[in-house]
Amino acid sequence: MTTMRLRFPSLYAPFVRVGLAAALVACGDPERAPTVPAPTTISPVAVAYLEEVVTLLQRHSVKRRTIDWTAFRAEVMAAAGPAQTISETVPGIRRALALLGDGHSVYIPLRGSAVSVPTRSCHAPTIGRSGGTPNVGYVRVRNFSGPPAEATLYAQRIQDSIRVTDRDGIVGWIVDLRGNAGGNMWPMIAGIGPILGEGVVGHFLDADSTFTPYSYRDGASASGDTPLHQVSSVYRLKRPNPRVAVLTDGWVASSGEAVAIAFRERPDTRSFGTATCGLSTGNTTYWLSDTSRLVITAATMADRKRRAYGDVIPPDEVVANPDDTVSRAIEWLTFATGPAGAVAVVRER
């Protein structure tokens, strides 16, 4: 995803050294010590920081066309109360994320815990059987977050596992996304590319109804015309454009859902398992003036035919018991390569 750093004037409070004489006012009589009243209004520093956050949301949120931003600002400022410092603006930022209601945007402060307002809870049973058979290939695509060097290793490991498994006589592949809670989608697309196939595999739809395609070509994932991740050693299947069974469950979220959508509308592809979590939206990270990060949901995921999601992605065939998911996928892959009558029987079960 695109990362931007926005430059603003430094916001800080000067350090003032208080003299010993001033600090020891009325030391012989504590009751006479002056008291400083608590502030009742928000400080200029806090206002400037919240304005910075709200301005970014107004410019980039996928929901920017449907929000009354004047009322939005007023609620955010009110929620911050008499905040004096940047760290004290968190209640206002939390209110901003709640008002957005996308369930995917996140504020990551320089110190302390990330702030988000989830709209759903991802859950799924323990992942059951994994693996393929002598004539069915199998590859697992796990969640990933990390620096570029680790992303390259991650994507290359996926392609290397495909390389090791690929052989003559394979009738199809299982792509197991179960448990993939997201992270960085671009090394995922680059890694699974040999099975996914070359060309546009999905889109992002923004608030202006503009579609930006994402694709796989020659070992690289790309957004629009911009390559974003490249494997170091490209592999190509012995049998291109194979039949594919995609496995999903309720833990598949965000970038994991982007991979699931990449297989939607792909020929000779069928998904098995249970519906995904429902965070099929795209995020962009922006740096704030204090080097905290604001991760904004800026687009909705859409498939090759521009069908938008933004919610759960149901499988083509529900398999409630995770222990049966791989078996059912193998059954479909095996029988689907036989006579036409066998295909019909298997799909109607």
PDB file of all heavy atoms in Angstrom, residues 46 276 329 337:
ATOM      1  N   ALA A  46      -3.634  20.451  20.908  1.00  0.00           N
ATOM      2  CA  ALA A  46      -4.575  19.345  20.707  1.00  0.00           C
ATOM      3  C   ALA A  46      -5.503  19.618  19.526  1.00  0.00           C
ATOM      4  O   ALA A  46      -5.791  18.715  18.726  1.00  0.00           O
ATOM      5  CB  ALA A  46      -5.383  19.111  21.977  1.00  0.00           C
ATOM      6  N   THR A 276     -15.497 -15.431   4.874  1.00  0.00           N
ATOM      7  CA  THR A 276     -14.379 -14.701   5.449  1.00  0.00           C
ATOM      8  C   THR A 276     -14.869 -13.722   6.520  1.00  0.00           C
ATOM      9  O   THR A 276     -16.064 -13.575   6.756  1.00  0.00           O
ATOM     10  CB  THR A 276     -13.625 -13.935   4.355  1.00  0.00           C
ATOM     11  OG1 THR A 276     -14.508 -12.970   3.775  1.00  0.00           O
ATOM     12  CG2 THR A 276     -13.126 -14.893   3.265  1.00  0.00           C
ATOM     13  N   ALA A 329     -12.349 -30.447  -1.314  1.00  0.00           N
ATOM     14  CA  ALA A 329     -11.627 -29.782  -2.400  1.00  0.00           C
ATOM     15  C   ALA A 329     -10.935 -30.794  -3.294  1.00  0.00           C
ATOM     16  O   ALA A 329     -10.982 -30.690  -4.534  1.00  0.00           O
ATOM     17  CB  ALA A 329     -10.609 -28.800  -1.815  1.00  0.00           C
ATOM     18  N   THR A 337     -12.127 -33.206 -13.325  1.00  0.00           N
ATOM     19  CA  THR A 337     -11.302 -33.425 -14.517  1.00  0.00           C
ATOM     20  C   THR A 337     -11.770 -34.635 -15.312  1.00  0.00           C
ATOM     21  O   THR A 337     -11.210 -34.948 -16.349  1.00  0.00           O
ATOM     22  CB  THR A 337      -9.833 -33.654 -14.117  1.00  0.00           C
ATOM     23  OG1 THR A 337      -9.748 -34.773 -13.226  1.00  0.00           O
ATOM     24  CG2 THR A 337      -9.267 -32.419 -13.443  1.00  0.00           C
TER      25      THR A 337
END
